[in-house]
Amino acid sequence: MNIHEYQAKRLLHSYGAPIAGGVAIYSAEQAEEWAKKMPGPLYVVKSQIHAGGRGKGKFKELGDDAAGGVRLARSVEEVVQNVKEMLGNTLVTKQTGPEGKQVNRLYIEDGADIDRELYLSILIDRTVGRPAFVVSTEGGMDIEAVAEETPEKIFTLPIDPIKGMTDADSRKLNRALKLTKDAAKDGMELFPILYKAFTEKDMSLLEVNPLIVMKDGRLRVLDAKVSFDGNALFRHDDIMALRDLSEEDEKEIEASKHDLAYVALDGNIGCMVNGAGLAMATMDIIKQYGEEPANFLDVGGGATTEKVTAAFKIITADPKVKGILVNIFGGIMKCDVIAEGVVKAVKDVGLKVPLVVRLEGTNVEKGKQIINDSDVDVIAADDLDDAAQKIVKAIKG
Ligand code: ADP
Ligand code: MG
């Protein structure tokens, strides 16, 4: 789960990280009211969407000459003018995809006097099985280019999760970021704070880009992007409360209500599969026969008829879906339960696209019987290969 920049900053601030003063607003009136209370003379108006690259992003409605999704303003009037231009419009960045994201909230922040922009993130480094800091002196808006063109400018420091973060670790980060004097002192405090927030809140990513050295020599967190491990959210009610459903895929929200492992994708073959491994294999084989899956969906081991029905409805509600492939290997999951769910869902919502079903394993005969006895228009398949070929052929008409 992701949260907005201003929420991430508040959270990091509660651990003691240095951030600028600021306020999230939803209207031009609110912007004016709050900006008047800010010290000035430099203000920054920042689009709050769950995607990075906002500074270099462009608003669809405003054309390429207009300023981007993060704007500097030098008076309250300029703040308000920018807010009016930005609110409600669609920001397209490298991370949003071409459709962009509608900006419904803005964050108005005190402007900082920037001397240097650095990059810092904490993530789980799977190669060493530990949390790791990734830092670079080349922070700001183009870290992807730095990683590609000058990878030697990126420094990685894995942290021993048992010992936790040590002063020696912080000193290494200071050295890598070329921090001295006050900035180095700030670093000794800030790095452990960020590590603590990362581990205590079960984050999967904490990215500060840029972390800045200000003209007065002090450090400040200027941008913050945080993702949380979805499997740990049950123990963080405070984080759950920050969820912004308008940023999430509607189908994924519906799936999460039914406890289904579902991820929306760009293709046009809807998949209903049990077991993550089989789901991956099914997606691969669809690609091998020249089509793209519309989703990943694992209905799980102990799915009920209700759950299968819900899953089927989510798949059919996607207008991109031109065909559906149900691929079930009944182990703990029984084929008759799947068959009942499919038949019930088709009766409830109808079937407007071809449906290929491959059932194997526990109660397979019973399952096939249920489908044959219904008047659902199913193309039966014998194995995975056969199923993939049949659905690809079916959608090509
Ligand atoms: P994004 O990464 O989505 O483009 P950032 O928050 O990193 O958004 O902002 C982009 C750039 O805007 C920063 O690299 C920095 O140069 C400038 N910026 C952002 N916030 C401030 C601020 N409070 N004061 C001064 N400049 C800022
Ligand atoms: Mg940034």
Side-chain angles (χ1 to χ4, degrees):
M1 187 190 100
N2 299 322
I3 58 175
H4 291 294
E5 173 200 2
Y6 77 95
Q7 297 168 325
K9 281 179 169 168
R10 259 185 221 159
L11 178 64
L12 296 177
H13 188 57
S14 73
Y15 280 85
I19 62 163
V23 57
I25 59 100
Y26 299 80
S27 71
E29 295 73 48
Q30 270 182 320
E32 180 164 17
E33 183 193 336
W34 285 100
K36 278 182 180 160
K37 297 181 188 163
M38 293 170 70
L42 187 62
Y43 310 80
V44 186
V45 184
K46 309 183 78 173
S47 308
Q48 299 299 294
I49 54 170
H50 287 181
R54 297 162 300 164
K56 292 206 165 157
K58 290 287 168 205
F59 284 98
K60 253 188 191 167
E61 296 83 354
L62 304 181
D64 280 353
D65 296 333
V70 174
R71 299 176 173 192
L72 298 179
R74 287 186 171 74
S75 65
V76 173
E77 292 69 45
E78 256 186 65
V79 168
V80 174
Q81 195 188 328
N82 278 302
V83 167
K84 283 184 180 157
E85 253 188 74
M86 296 161 82
L87 262 188
N89 280 336
T90 312
L91 185 61
V92 181
T93 82
K94 268 189 187 167
Q95 293 182 15
T96 59
E99 68 281 8
K101 277 198 166 163
Q102 192 178 41
V103 176
N104 300 316
R105 326 179 183 193
L106 293 166
Y107 187 47
I108 305 181
E109 195 177 55
D110 293 331
D113 268 330
I114 303 175
D115 183 25
R116 289 203 292 142
E117 298 202 8
L118 314 171
Y119 177 88
L120 179 148
S121 63
I122 311 178
L123 40 75
I124 301 294
D125 185 340
R126 291 174 200 285
T127 54
V128 290
R130 293 182 167 189
F133 279 82
V134 178
V135 300
S136 173
T137 51
E138 311 303 303
M141 295 200 256
D142 255 330
I143 192 66
E144 288 82 6
V146 178
E148 231 165 76
E149 290 154 26
T150 47
E152 70 280 1
K153 291 194 172 156
I154 292 180
F155 174 76
T156 305
L157 179 71
I159 303 297
D160 182 337
I162 306 294
K163 264 200 293 183
M165 177 114 201
T166 64
D167 282 351
D169 291 327
S170 293
R171 278 195 293 274
K172 281 182 198 160
L173 294 173
N174 270 338
R175 222 171 303 138
L177 291 170
K178 299 194 167 63
L179 298 179
T180 56
K181 298 181 205 155
D182 282 349
K185 266 187 231 151
D186 284 352
M188 295 304 287
E189 277 184 39
L190 176 62
F191 305 138
I193 281 174
L194 296 179
Y195 182 77
K196 186 163 189 258
F198 180 87
T199 47
E200 275 187 8
K201 295 295 180 190
D202 291 304
M203 296 177 186
S204 52
L205 173 73
L206 165 57
E207 187 179 59
V208 178
N209 186 28
L211 169 68
I212 56 162
V213 184
M214 294 187 290
K215 292 256 165 67
D216 67 4
R218 308 298 301 265
L219 288 186
R220 182 181 276 179
V221 169
L222 206 70
D223 186 11
K225 185 177 176 196
V226 175
S227 307
F228 299 91
D229 179 348
N231 291 320
L233 283 173
F234 72 93
R235 56 186 181 199
H236 299 294
D237 289 343
D238 55 333
I239 303 298
M240 274 304 266
L242 302 178
R243 190 167 175 194
D244 178 358
L245 291 179
S246 73
E247 288 280 341
E248 296 179 25
D249 185 285
E250 270 172 44
K251 299 185 289 312
E252 291 182 13
I253 296 169
E254 183 62 23
S256 73
K257 283 188 205 150
H258 298 280
D259 204 20
L260 292 161
Y262 173 92
V263 181
L265 300 167
D266 293 331
N268 49 23
I269 297 186
C271 306
M272 183 157 87
V273 189
N274 67 325
L278 189 58
M280 297 300 281
T282 306
M283 289 159 60
D284 279 347
I285 203 161
I286 287 172
K287 270 177 170 292
Q288 194 179 315
Y289 285 108
E291 283 298 332
E292 299 281 332
N295 65 279
F296 168 94
L297 172 61
D298 171 10
V299 291
T304 55
T305 309
E306 288 70 38
K307 213 165 151 180
V308 172
T309 312
F312 204 84
K313 282 182 184 168
I314 291 167
I315 295 176
T316 49
D318 182 350
K320 288 198 307 296
V321 168
K322 300 282 178 280
I324 300 171
L325 173 54
V326 174
N327 181 27
I328 299 296
F329 187 84
I332 302 169
M333 184 80 210
K334 295 187 184 72
C335 293
D336 55 319
V337 172
I338 290 283
E340 264 172 29
V342 169
V343 170
K344 182 166 186 320
V346 171
K347 279 197 183 128
D348 286 359
V349 296
L351 186 65
K352 294 168 205 80
V353 296
L355 168 66
V356 171
V357 177
R358 179 253 177 163
L359 296 174
E360 196 52 82
T362 309
N363 293 357
V364 61
E365 291 311 325
K366 237 170 134 183
K368 285 184 176 164
Q369 195 63 46
I370 289 168
I371 288 185
N372 291 341
D373 290 350
S374 75
D375 43 13
V376 176
D377 192 7
V378 171
I379 306 167
D382 300 326
D383 56 37
L384 186 43
D385 209 59
D386 184 41
Q389 287 185 51
K390 279 182 171 153
I391 190 64
V392 169
K393 192 162 162 244
I395 71 163
K396 288 192 169 143

